[in-house]
Amino acid sequence: MTAIDTGASHAQRMDRMYRTQRHFYDLTRKYYLFGRDTLIRGLDVPAGGSVLEIGCGTGRNLALIGRRFPQARLFGLDISAEMLVSAEAKLGGPGRTKTVLRVADATDFQPSEFGETGFDRIVISYALSMIPDWERAIGAAIAALNPGGSLHIADFGQQERLPRLFQRLLQAWLKRFHVTPREAMVTVLKANAARFGDAVDFRPIGRGYAWLFVYTRSSK
């Protein structure tokens, strides 16, 4: 859930935060970033298809995608240069699928920065809850999809079926890490789908602890 935002000051803050955290990030996050592996299993990447992860962090998800879909062409962006140091180390080893990584802003990027006209799959895993202008990031991701491509999102939900005390404690703890679950995410994605003639599938997991989305662009 690497943070991405406009402005150099935010990038600097993220670099400061992750300069040390990147070394134990994957070990700690596996205990509460639920749904990431479910998202990866559902990607159904076509042979030779392109996959971009926005907020790729340490490269943990891209490494798993590469193992599950070895013929996929992998790309990643993150605002934190510090996190990409870890991603490059993780993804550059022997037997790894070659991955193109860029320091970039989730709200303002173009597929051409990666030598592509668009992507077949785009993944955003626990990043939107850290992007202040998260609606713009969704718009940029949708615009970067190829016709018939899909955007796959996993992030914190509203814990709508969990005890109220747990919800308050979790959200207070998340704020310490500049994380804000996006209550309007369902509405925003459905509004985009209606606007462009696309489709969106929404599934809460863990009694609303996390939300999973698949947004599919029209093939027209």
Side-chain angles (χ1 to χ4, degrees):
M1 58 183 189
T2 303
I4 306 171
D5 185 20
T6 57
S9 62
H10 188 76
Q12 291 166 358
R13 182 174 67 183
M14 291 301 99
D15 277 341
R16 286 196 300 270
M17 182 166 72
Y18 288 122
R19 188 166 289 121
T20 300
Q21 284 195 36
R22 68 182 178 85
H23 297 290
F24 52 85
Y25 182 95
D26 290 339
L27 178 64
T28 57
R29 267 57 176 185
K30 70 179 182 180
Y31 295 109
Y32 62 89
L33 300 187
F34 304 142
R36 295 181 297 173
D37 293 349
T38 300
L39 179 155
I40 291 169
R41 287 193 295 270
L43 286 176
D44 192 24
V45 183
S50 55
V51 182
L52 169 70
E53 182 173 16
I54 294 173
C56 64
T58 64
R60 180 263 187 195
N61 293 334
L62 285 170
L64 291 178
I65 293 168
R67 287 200 290 270
R68 189 170 185 86
F69 304 101
Q71 293 183 318
R73 295 181 296 113
L74 304 182
F75 305 84
L77 71 82
D78 203 291
I79 197 84
S80 172
E82 288 289 339
M83 285 297 251
L84 290 185
V85 171
S86 290
E88 288 170 354
K90 187 185 300 291
L91 297 167
R96 298 289 191 181
T97 302
K98 181 180 178 181
T99 306
V100 178
L101 300 173
R102 295 281 185 271
V103 177
D105 187 330
T107 68
D108 184 24
F109 73 95
Q110 298 294 328
S112 58
E113 298 173 43
F114 299 87
E116 299 289 310
T117 57
F119 299 98
D120 298 308
R121 302 289 184 269
I122 296 180
V123 171
I124 311 180
S125 174
Y126 287 91
L128 291 171
S129 53
M130 297 188 73
I131 303 173
D133 199 356
W134 61 275
E135 293 185 43
R136 187 178 172 194
I138 286 176
I142 291 171
L145 285 171
N146 286 326
S150 52
L151 167 63
H152 300 251
I153 298 171
D155 216 317
F156 292 105
Q158 292 296 303
Q159 300 84 49
E160 54 268 25
R161 294 177 58 204
L162 289 167
R164 185 63 58 86
L165 177 61
F166 177 87
Q167 181 186 41
R168 288 200 301 266
L169 291 173
L170 175 63
Q171 297 203 8
W173 181 73
L174 291 175
K175 284 181 180 179
R176 297 180 57 192
F177 300 94
H178 311 288
V179 176
T180 304
R182 306 305 184 187
E183 184 177 3
M185 197 181 301
V186 178
T187 302
V188 168
L189 285 163
K190 287 184 175 180
N192 275 282
R195 177 185 175 190
F196 296 114
D198 299 333
V200 61
D201 179 70
F202 164 58
R203 178 159 62 105
I205 61 173
R207 300 175 68 185
Y209 177 92
W211 287 352
L212 299 178
F213 299 89
V214 179
Y215 181 106
T216 305
R217 290 285 340 233
S218 169
S219 57
K220 297 180 180 179

